[in-house]
Amino acid sequence: LGLAWYADMIEKGQWQSTPVVVDGRIYVTTPWSKVYAYDAATGKPLWRYDPKVPREIAATRLCCNNSNRGVSFYKGKIIWGTLDGRLVAVDAKKGSKVWETRTTDIKDDMSITGAPRVGNGLVFIGQGGGEYFQRGYLSAYDADTGQFRLKFYVAPGDPSKGPDGAASDNVMAMAAKTWNGEWWKT
């Protein structure tokens, strides 16, 4: 066993990505939500995609670091979340954008550092921001088009405003019974 090849990646910050290998290619995310693709056998760089996350968010909406924890692969696309709250899908062979969608409201102090999961044609992603008193949620998007499909909050909302939506009415009403105090304020 020995070193077969290596690659220099110049981004500074927190490195927490788990590479994904598909069809002889390695895909890895870097700090600031960039993605690199390499030939797995030779290490030859194939493409690099920079979603151009605005650096000023580091002072306003990132609690801990600028890391990204990885990508998902679905039907020839590499899909990942960005620190400024977007999902991006690129062609796995070319590195060209297929679709992009915003998952968080730009005015909220939320970000995405986790790797998305794909199942049944949907991309599932969670948003971070609890450090800034944001109500977390899981959202899902069509893996082919990036169109919004569903949103599920992880904590019930303000009971005076009623349920969050038809899909979660019963679940959030049940969940609210397990919380006490004024949870919706924090």
Side-chain angles (χ1 to χ4, degrees):
L1 294 177
L3 179 66
W5 60 267
Y6 71 93
D8 287 323
M9 292 182 273
I10 61 170
E11 283 70 38
K12 292 184 167 99
Q14 302 289 324
W15 287 80
Q16 298 179 1
S17 180
T18 301
V20 170
V21 179
V22 180
D23 295 333
R25 294 179 184 88
I26 296 176
Y27 304 96
V28 61
T29 57
T30 74
W32 297 109
S33 311
K34 296 177 184 179
V35 176
Y36 286 74
Y38 297 96
D39 180 289
T42 66
K44 175 186 171 191
L46 301 173
W47 53 260
R48 181 181 123 177
Y49 190 91
D50 181 355
K52 301 191 183 334
V53 173
R55 297 305 194 261
E56 60 269 15
I57 69 170
T60 59
R61 70 167 60 173
L62 302 180
C63 80
C64 308
N65 59 56
N66 63 353
S67 68
N68 187 291
R69 293 181 178 91
V71 302
S72 285
F73 177 86
Y74 180 78
K75 291 185 179 179
K77 291 182 286 298
I78 295 298
I79 305 169
W80 74 101
T82 65
L83 283 169
D84 60 341
R86 294 175 284 150
L87 274 177
V88 179
V90 300
D91 181 284
K93 290 182 180 176
K94 302 175 194 169
S96 55
K97 184 165 56 174
V98 176
W99 57 259
E100 178 180 304
T101 190
R102 177 153 292 288
T103 71
T104 64
D105 190 320
I106 195 72
K107 70 178 174 24
D108 291 337
D109 293 327
M110 300 186 92
S111 59
I112 298 174
T113 58
R117 300 291 184 250
V118 179
N120 200 28
L122 296 175
V123 181
F124 298 91
I125 193 69
Q127 289 70 26
E131 299 82 2
Y132 299 111
F133 303 104
Q134 298 294 334
R135 188 172 170 217
Y137 56 90
L138 174 78
S139 52
Y141 299 82
D142 184 287
D144 291 317
T145 66
Q147 290 186 318
F148 173 78
R149 291 293 181 245
L150 67 92
K151 183 182 213 177
F152 185 85
Y153 287 98
V154 296
D158 183 343
S160 71
K161 295 181 180 177
D164 292 310
S168 63
D169 285 353
N170 294 333
V171 173
M172 285 296 129
M174 289 187 304
K177 294 176 185 174
T178 68
W179 290 68
N180 50 40
E182 295 180 325
W183 71 83
W184 59 93
K185 293 183 178 179
T186 58

